[in-house]
């Protein structure tokens, strides 16, 4: 009787935990702005990309704002061949964009109406965090969204100005 209960208990435990065999088509999602889930937008369902676990870890670090750690992991993974050069470049571009301060946008864009000058020293990552937490103590929601747009879309906006 004990053996039967042990087997039943063990199988229930394994069932509850899951063994992961059925998870091949699932993707790990992370906060990567509007671009998709962990760099998998250009990979078809059911296929594995080069460095899948490493890239998921890097995107998670980026989403948490751990940019220095992410850069080190990108460099090591690219050198070891776990990440393609295009993946590494895309990740580094995202880190650069998230580290961009509002005060670094071109002066022409800083002259827009309702420019939130109090956010000049804030990075895109910090502005996104304020929006996510709905913290409007430094600026209104529209000012935070304007700041986000000015940083993320500065090339497109500069073309409109010309």
């Amino acid at each position: 009787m004990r053996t039967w209960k042990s087997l039943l208990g063990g199988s229930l435990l394994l069932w509850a935990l899951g063994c992961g065999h059925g998870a091949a088509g699932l993707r790990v999602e992370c906060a990567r702005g509007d671009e998709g889930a962990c760099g998998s937008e250009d990979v078809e369902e059911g296929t594995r990309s080069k460095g899948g676990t490493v890239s998921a870890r890097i995107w998670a670090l980026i989403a948490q704002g751990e940019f220095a750690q992410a850069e080190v992991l990108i460099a090591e993974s690219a050198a070891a061949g776990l990440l393609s050069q295009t993946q590494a470049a895309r990740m580094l571009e995202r880190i650069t964009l998230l580290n961009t301060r509002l005060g670094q946008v071109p002066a022409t864009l800083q002259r827009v109406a309702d420019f939130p000058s109090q956010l000049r020293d804030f990075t895109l990552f910090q502005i996104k965090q304020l929006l996510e937490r709905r913290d409007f103590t430094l600026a209104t929601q529209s000012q935070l969204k304007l700041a986000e747009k000015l940083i993320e879309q500065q090339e497109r906006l500069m073309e409109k100005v010309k």
Side-chain angles (χ1 to χ4, degrees), residues 53-69:
T53 305
V54 172
S55 68
R57 174 71 179 136
I58 293 169
W59 285 121
L61 287 170
I62 292 171
Q64 295 167 4
E66 302 290 335
F67 302 132
Q69 267 187 299

Side-chain angles (χ1 to χ4, degrees), residues 34-143:
D34 299 326
E35 295 182 30
C38 298
S40 61
E41 68 277 356
D42 53 356
V43 179
E44 291 184 23
E45 190 74 25
T47 60
R48 287 182 43 111
S49 64
K50 186 176 186 181
T53 305
V54 172
S55 68
R57 174 71 179 136
I58 293 169
W59 285 121
L61 287 170
I62 292 171
Q64 295 167 4
E66 302 290 335
F67 302 132
Q69 267 187 299
E71 287 175 341
V72 168
L73 192 54
I74 290 168
E76 290 174 354
S77 299
L82 297 174
L83 281 179
S84 69
Q85 293 300 321
T86 56
Q87 280 180 314
R90 189 178 325 129
M91 291 171 176
L92 290 172
E93 286 173 11
R94 185 67 182 168
I95 290 171
T96 301
L97 182 65
L98 288 171
N99 269 329
T100 303
R101 297 189 184 285
L102 182 60
Q104 293 174 318
V105 299
T108 305
L109 294 179
Q110 292 186 28
R111 290 190 211 110
V112 299
D114 203 26
F115 179 79
S117 59
Q118 70 275 19
L119 298 173
R120 203 175 290 261
D121 293 329
F122 283 74
T123 64
L124 176 60
F125 181 77
Q126 292 168 326
I127 292 168
K128 282 182 175 284
Q129 281 187 321
L130 290 173
L131 277 169
E132 188 177 294
R133 289 186 307 228
R134 304 188 63 73
D135 180 1
F136 306 121
T137 55
L138 294 173
T140 64
Q141 182 177 11
S142 63
Q143 287 177 320

